[in-house]
């Protein structure tokens, strides 16, 4: 039998495959299609203090090897999540990591406090990296002082694991990971989407209502791998790798580079069961190669004979 579990703080997760926030709703829509107990857990859709309608349409467009979205953190609000969605998730016995967003640090804190008062949340992912909102989002994720402040404050509010979700839309994401680590984050997750755009050549108008949006999917995997490689060489806390993972081999690449676990995003829109398939695929890879613990794969990238430019940044 292969050991698939791993720990963040005092929490042990069944395996290293999760579904990423914003790509799986609140988990209830796929209950008939997907056995969430077979994966490490679900990162919920971002939750804000009040319900948000999000950005006007069009807010999703397909591009070569990916999607551009500008949803704008549309969600039902934390109170309705607690009263309507959380009970269903608890019935499914799925591990729940609540993703929290806000326009101010005070809003992040109020959302977390309300979730703390409810039973059933295992950990929190703090979204400081959404590129599609005017307030919050990248304002926090591209400012080192703001990243430090929000991490420090939410850390005081809970003993549960705190995971900072970082943006690739900075020059050196490792600097933000270091700040998050120093202020008490238990882990970081990266990457969120890259800022992108698409144009209709007939109308000469942008295909997204907000002109630019967040690019995700296979197109961003090479960028994500490089950002994860940079961060795992800069911090000691666990890293969740995200970005264009569509099959077992993709996930293994992130683990080899050094991610402790992975989140599956855009691929969920093609196959809601893909994360279970990838979790099974990783276990089979280990069995086929005589590996007793998935953790033995993590950070095994062989760079002998290579000179890393990224390491000169650290």
């Amino acid at each position: 039998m292969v050991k698939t579990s791993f720990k963040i703080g005092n929490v042990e997760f069944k395996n290293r495959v999760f579904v990423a926030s914003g790509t799986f709703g609140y988990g209830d829509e796929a209950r008939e299609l997907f056995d969430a107990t077979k994966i490490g857990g679900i990162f919920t859709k971002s939750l804000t203090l009040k319900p948000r309608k999000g950005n006007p349409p069009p807010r999703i467009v397909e591009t070569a090897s990916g999607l551009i979205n500008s949803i704008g953190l549309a969600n039902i609000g934390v109170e309705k999540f607690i009263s309507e969605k959380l009970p269903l998730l608890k019935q499914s016995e799925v591990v729940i990591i609540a993703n929290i967003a806000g326009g101010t640090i005070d809003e992040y804190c109020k959302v977390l406090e309300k979730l703390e008062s409810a039973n059933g949340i295992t950990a929190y992912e703090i979204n400081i990296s959404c590129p599609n909102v005017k307030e919050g989002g990248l304002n926090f994720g591209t400012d080192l002082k703001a990243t430090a402040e929000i991490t420090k404050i939410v850390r005081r509010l809970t003993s549960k694991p705190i995971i900072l979700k970082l943006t690739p839309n900075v020059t050196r994401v490792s600097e933000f990971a270091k700040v998050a680590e120093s202020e008490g984050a238990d882990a970081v997750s990266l990457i969120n989407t890259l800022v992108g755009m698409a144009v209709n050549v007939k109308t000469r108008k942008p295909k997204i209502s907000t002109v630019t949006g967040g690019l995700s999917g296979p197109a961003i995997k090479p960028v994500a791998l490089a950002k994860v490689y940079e961060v795992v060489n800069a911090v000691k806390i666990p890293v969740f790798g995200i970005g264009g993972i569509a099959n077992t081999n993709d996930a293994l690449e992130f683990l080899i580079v050094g991610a402790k676990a992975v989140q599956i995003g855009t691929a969920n829109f093609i196959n809601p069961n893909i994360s279970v398939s990838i979790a099974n695929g990783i276990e089979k890879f280990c069995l086929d190669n005589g590996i007793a613990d998935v953790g033995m794969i993590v950070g095994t990238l062989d760079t002998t004979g290579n000179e890393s430019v990224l390491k000169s940044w650290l």
Side-chain angles (χ1 to χ4, degrees), residues 134-156:
K134 293 178 181 177
E135 309 87 15
L138 286 185
N139 290 341
F140 293 119
T142 57
D143 183 316
L144 283 170
K145 288 184 178 179
T147 299
E149 186 177 3
I150 196 169
T151 307
K152 185 177 182 178
I153 291 176
V154 298
R155 174 71 285 168
R156 293 172 179 165

Side-chain angles (χ1 to χ4, degrees), residues 84-118:
E84 296 184 6
K85 302 296 184 180
L86 188 55
L88 292 173
L89 287 170
K90 289 164 68 174
Q91 285 178 16
S92 301
E93 299 181 351
V94 59
V95 173
I96 306 162
I97 299 98
N99 181 290
I100 297 173
T104 64
I105 291 179
D106 184 57
E107 183 177 358
Y108 281 90
C109 293
K110 287 179 178 175
V111 174
L112 194 150
E113 287 171 339
K114 287 183 180 293
L115 291 168
E116 275 286 276
S117 67

Side-chain angles (χ1 to χ4, degrees), residues 29-230:
E29 297 94 337
R31 291 178 71 191
E32 303 299 321
L33 305 171
F34 169 77
D35 184 356
T37 65
K38 302 293 185 185
I39 63 170
I42 287 179
F43 285 73
T44 70
K45 190 171 179 56
S46 289
L47 299 167
T48 53
L49 187 59
K50 301 294 182 183
R52 287 178 60 102
K53 290 183 178 179
N55 294 329
R59 52 189 193 179
I60 289 183
V61 62
E62 188 171 354
T63 65
S65 299
L67 293 175
I68 296 177
N69 86 83
S70 181
I71 306 301
L73 299 179
N75 76 99
I76 60 175
V78 65
E79 291 184 354
K80 200 167 183 178
F81 170 79
I82 291 171
S83 63
E84 296 184 6
K85 302 296 184 180
L86 188 55
L88 292 173
L89 287 170
K90 289 164 68 174
Q91 285 178 16
S92 301
E93 299 181 351
V94 59
V95 173
I96 306 162
I97 299 98
N99 181 290
I100 297 173
T104 64
I105 291 179
D106 184 57
E107 183 177 358
Y108 281 90
C109 293
K110 287 179 178 175
V111 174
L112 194 150
E113 287 171 339
K114 287 183 180 293
L115 291 168
E116 275 286 276
S117 67
N119 294 321
I121 306 295
T122 297
Y124 301 104
E125 183 178 56
I126 309 301
N127 182 1
I128 57 169
S129 50
C130 177
N132 302 322
V133 292
K134 293 178 181 177
E135 309 87 15
L138 286 185
N139 290 341
F140 293 119
T142 57
D143 183 316
L144 283 170
K145 288 184 178 179
T147 299
E149 186 177 3
I150 196 169
T151 307
K152 185 177 182 178
I153 291 176
V154 298
R155 174 71 285 168
R156 293 172 179 165
L157 300 178
T158 180
S159 60
K160 295 175 182 175
I162 292 287
I163 305 161
L164 266 288
K165 188 167 187 177
L166 304 179
T167 176
N169 298 299
V170 293
T171 302
R172 297 181 180 178
V173 66
S174 53
E175 294 178 357
F176 293 83
K178 288 178 183 177
V179 163
E181 180 180 49
S182 67
E183 296 297 342
D186 297 284
V188 292
S189 55
L190 63 144
I191 58 174
N192 206 326
T193 54
L194 286 153
V195 174
M197 67 184 293
V199 175
N200 184 319
V201 297
K202 292 183 178 178
T203 63
R204 303 189 185 187
K205 289 183 174 293
K207 291 184 176 179
I208 290 286
S209 66
T210 51
V211 182
T212 61
L215 176 64
S216 64
I220 73 168
K221 195 187 83 174
V223 178
L225 278 170
K227 295 294 185 183
V228 167
Y229 178 67
E230 178 189 341

Side-chain angles (χ1 to χ4, degrees), residues 215-276:
L215 176 64
S216 64
I220 73 168
K221 195 187 83 174
V223 178
L225 278 170
K227 295 294 185 183
V228 167
Y229 178 67
E230 178 189 341
V231 168
V232 299
N233 281 286
V235 299
K236 294 180 179 177
I237 56 177
V239 172
F240 284 84
I242 320 167
I245 299 172
N247 53 51
T248 298
N249 198 70
D250 291 339
L252 287 169
E253 286 189 67
F254 278 88
L255 296 179
I256 290 168
V257 164
K260 285 286 196 301
V262 296
Q263 297 178 29
I264 314 302
T266 301
N268 289 311
F269 298 121
I270 301 169
N271 176 7
N273 201 44
I274 189 64
S275 55
V276 175

